Amino acid sequence: MFETLDAVEAIDDPEERSRAQAVVTAEVRKRSADWAADRGALANRIQTEEPAISIRGLARRLGVAPSTVQDLLDGYRGSGTRRKPKPAPKGQPAGESE
């Protein structure tokens, strides 16, 4: 695999290199989503079979960060930025707006 990436980087013609990079990037994005779904299914299966396993334990077994395991278990498929609700203004209960 790395040989292929090196070969793309070694293409002399900048336009041809750009086209090759676009093809590789598109394929990597597709496979990355597919692989995340596979890891998510595996994380859920392990957690079901071993309910006492910790997020850190799952992370070690899957070879990913604990935050990634949490995202996999939550089904999170975002851009890497979580949208959190804005904190309520002082003196106002959370969830209510002015």
Side-chain angles (χ1 to χ4, degrees):
M1 172 183 71
F2 294 111
E3 294 85 10
T4 301
L5 298 176
D6 291 340
V8 167
E9 291 175 350
I11 296 171
D12 287 331
D13 179 84
E15 291 180 22
E16 183 182 345
R17 184 173 54 247
S18 178
R19 287 188 296 273
Q21 289 167 337
V23 169
V24 170
T25 300
E27 185 64 22
V28 167
R29 283 186 182 139
K30 179 195 175 302
R31 289 185 188 214
S32 179
D34 293 345
W35 293 350
D38 287 348
R39 285 192 312 274
L42 178 58
N44 280 303
R45 190 184 88 215
I46 292 170
Q47 193 176 51
T48 299
E49 293 171 356
E50 303 174 36
I53 193 166
S54 67
I55 296 295
R56 290 184 196 284
L58 267 172
R60 279 191 299 276
R61 287 183 59 181
L62 299 178
V64 298
S67 59
T68 300
V69 169
Q70 192 63 58
D71 287 345
L72 292 169
L73 293 173
D74 291 345
Y76 180 70
R77 301 281 185 265
S79 64
T81 303
R82 290 184 186 260
R83 296 196 186 265
K84 296 180 182 176
K86 291 183 181 179
K90 288 191 182 242
Q92 187 174 5
E96 291 183 14
S97 54
E98 293 181 25

